[in-house]
Short mmCIF file of all heavy atoms in Angstrom, two decimals:
data_model
loop_
_atom_site.label_atom_id
_atom_site.label_comp_id
_atom_site.label_asym_id
_atom_site.label_seq_id
_atom_site.Cartn_x
_atom_site.Cartn_y
_atom_site.Cartn_z
N ALA A 35 -69.74 -27.58 11.35
CA ALA A 35 -69.04 -27.22 12.58
C ALA A 35 -69.04 -28.38 13.57
O ALA A 35 -68.04 -28.62 14.27
CB ALA A 35 -69.69 -25.99 13.21
N GLY A 36 -70.13 -29.12 13.62
CA GLY A 36 -70.19 -30.30 14.49
C GLY A 36 -69.18 -31.36 14.07
O GLY A 36 -68.50 -31.95 14.90
N TRP A 37 -69.08 -31.61 12.78
CA TRP A 37 -68.12 -32.59 12.28
C TRP A 37 -66.69 -32.11 12.49
O TRP A 37 -65.79 -32.90 12.77
CB TRP A 37 -68.39 -32.90 10.81
CG TRP A 37 -69.52 -33.86 10.64
CD1 TRP A 37 -70.81 -33.54 10.33
CD2 TRP A 37 -69.48 -35.26 10.84
NE1 TRP A 37 -71.57 -34.68 10.31
CE2 TRP A 37 -70.79 -35.76 10.60
CE3 TRP A 37 -68.48 -36.17 11.17
CZ2 TRP A 37 -71.10 -37.10 10.71
CZ3 TRP A 37 -68.81 -37.51 11.27
CH2 TRP A 37 -70.09 -37.96 11.04
N LEU A 38 -66.46 -30.81 12.35
CA LEU A 38 -65.12 -30.27 12.58
C LEU A 38 -64.74 -30.42 14.05
O LEU A 38 -63.60 -30.81 14.36
CB LEU A 38 -65.07 -28.79 12.17
CG LEU A 38 -63.73 -28.09 12.37
CD1 LEU A 38 -62.65 -28.74 11.51
CD2 LEU A 38 -63.86 -26.62 12.05
N ALA A 39 -65.67 -30.14 14.95
CA ALA A 39 -65.39 -30.31 16.39
C ALA A 39 -65.07 -31.77 16.70
O ALA A 39 -64.15 -32.07 17.46
CB ALA A 39 -66.57 -29.83 17.22
N ARG A 40 -65.81 -32.68 16.10
CA ARG A 40 -65.56 -34.10 16.31
C ARG A 40 -64.16 -34.47 15.79
O ARG A 40 -63.44 -35.24 16.44
CB ARG A 40 -66.62 -34.93 15.60
CG ARG A 40 -66.44 -36.41 15.80
CD ARG A 40 -67.48 -37.19 15.05
NE ARG A 40 -68.73 -37.16 15.81
CZ ARG A 40 -69.84 -37.76 15.41
NH1 ARG A 40 -69.88 -38.40 14.27
NH2 ARG A 40 -70.91 -37.71 16.16
N ALA A 41 -63.78 -33.94 14.64
CA ALA A 41 -62.46 -34.24 14.08
C ALA A 41 -61.34 -33.71 14.98
O ALA A 41 -60.33 -34.39 15.18
CB ALA A 41 -62.34 -33.63 12.68
N VAL A 42 -61.54 -32.52 15.54
CA VAL A 42 -60.54 -31.96 16.46
C VAL A 42 -60.37 -32.87 17.67
O VAL A 42 -59.24 -33.17 18.10
CB VAL A 42 -60.93 -30.53 16.88
CG1 VAL A 42 -60.09 -30.05 18.05
CG2 VAL A 42 -60.81 -29.58 15.70
N TRP A 43 -61.47 -33.37 18.21
CA TRP A 43 -61.38 -34.27 19.38
C TRP A 43 -60.74 -35.61 19.00
O TRP A 43 -60.01 -36.18 19.79
CB TRP A 43 -62.75 -34.48 20.01
CG TRP A 43 -62.88 -33.72 21.29
CD1 TRP A 43 -62.69 -34.22 22.55
CD2 TRP A 43 -63.17 -32.35 21.46
NE1 TRP A 43 -62.87 -33.23 23.47
CE2 TRP A 43 -63.17 -32.07 22.83
CE3 TRP A 43 -63.44 -31.31 20.57
CZ2 TRP A 43 -63.43 -30.81 23.34
CZ3 TRP A 43 -63.70 -30.06 21.07
CH2 TRP A 43 -63.68 -29.83 22.45
N GLU A 44 -61.02 -36.11 17.80
CA GLU A 44 -60.37 -37.34 17.35
C GLU A 44 -58.86 -37.17 17.31
O GLU A 44 -58.11 -38.04 17.75
CB GLU A 44 -60.88 -37.74 15.96
CG GLU A 44 -62.30 -38.23 15.92
CD GLU A 44 -62.44 -39.68 16.28
OE1 GLU A 44 -61.43 -40.39 16.43
OE2 GLU A 44 -63.59 -40.12 16.43
N ILE A 45 -58.42 -36.03 16.80
CA ILE A 45 -56.97 -35.75 16.74
C ILE A 45 -56.40 -35.62 18.14
O ILE A 45 -55.32 -36.15 18.43
CB ILE A 45 -56.71 -34.47 15.90
CG1 ILE A 45 -57.05 -34.74 14.43
CG2 ILE A 45 -55.27 -34.00 16.05
CD1 ILE A 45 -57.10 -33.51 13.57
N ARG A 46 -57.10 -34.94 19.02
CA ARG A 46 -56.62 -34.80 20.41
C ARG A 46 -56.52 -36.15 21.10
O ARG A 46 -55.56 -36.42 21.82
CB ARG A 46 -57.55 -33.87 21.19
CG ARG A 46 -57.45 -32.42 20.75
CD ARG A 46 -58.39 -31.54 21.51
NE ARG A 46 -58.01 -31.50 22.93
CZ ARG A 46 -58.77 -31.02 23.89
NH1 ARG A 46 -59.96 -30.54 23.61
NH2 ARG A 46 -58.36 -31.02 25.12
N LEU A 47 -57.52 -37.03 20.87
CA LEU A 47 -57.47 -38.37 21.46
C LEU A 47 -56.30 -39.17 20.89
O LEU A 47 -55.61 -39.89 21.63
CB LEU A 47 -58.78 -39.11 21.20
CG LEU A 47 -59.96 -38.71 22.07
CD1 LEU A 47 -61.25 -39.32 21.53
CD2 LEU A 47 -59.73 -39.14 23.50
#
Side-chain angles (χ1 to χ4, degrees):
W37 280 99
L38 179 63
R40 181 182 281 180
V42 167
W43 254 263
E44 290 277 352
I45 292 168
R46 290 178 65 193
L47 283 169

